[in-house]
Amino acid sequence: MKCCGRFHGGERVEVAPDAETLMRSRYTAYTLGLEPYLLATWHPDTRPESLQLSEDKATRWLGLEIKRHEMTGENSAIVEFVARYKIAGRAHRLHETSRFVREDGRWYYVDGEFPAKDGSK
């Protein structure tokens, strides 16, 4: 994808300027199965060894909606999003509030929480 390809690799790789841009590039990386990029942009304190994306052939990503991007400190931010996808023809939604940190000028995904369905926290 043109919007995020500049972050994923190639001759000249750019660094995401903010947490929202990193979130968008990570979503695109999921749609393209770019596990190395996802792991490289995941903070080492919370990063899994593998995502095993090559084994997940059933998920079809449909779209991303950013609901909120908020700086929570000089080098920290949250991004609330809803990602839509289908598995075996059945629609699903992933609603998450993700935490990001900036270290040495690079943004990293840390972890996320799933907001309560009834709107309470």
Side-chain angles (χ1 to χ4, degrees), residues 31-46:
T31 70
L32 299 172
L34 302 177
E35 185 168 330
Y37 178 78
L38 291 164
L39 293 173
T41 57
W42 204 312
H43 195 275
D45 289 348
T46 57

Side-chain angles (χ1 to χ4, degrees), residues 13-107:
V13 178
E14 294 182 30
V15 174
D18 55 45
E20 180 179 350
T21 303
L22 181 62
M23 178 65 239
R24 290 180 185 282
S25 72
R26 285 176 55 81
Y27 169 81
T28 302
Y30 270 104
T31 70
L32 299 172
L34 302 177
E35 185 168 330
Y37 178 78
L38 291 164
L39 293 173
T41 57
W42 204 312
H43 195 275
D45 289 348
T46 57
R47 177 176 50 223
E49 277 188 44
S50 170
L51 298 173
Q52 301 172 338
L53 293 182
S54 62
E55 296 175 16
D56 180 17
K57 304 289 186 205
T59 303
R60 194 171 118 235
W61 295 95
L62 303 173
L64 174 70
E65 176 191 355
I66 301 294
K67 295 184 132 333
R68 176 171 56 122
H69 171 223
E70 180 181 316
M71 293 295 295
T72 57
E74 186 178 336
N75 292 302
S76 60
I78 58 169
V79 177
E80 182 181 357
F81 69 92
V82 174
R84 296 177 300 104
Y85 61 100
K86 280 189 177 182
I87 298 176
R90 186 164 182 213
H92 301 273
R93 290 170 29 111
L94 172 64
H95 185 180
E96 180 176 308
T97 301
S98 301
R99 291 188 317 132
F100 294 84
V101 295
R102 181 172 44 199
E103 294 180 355
D104 299 322
R106 289 186 159 302
W107 283 98

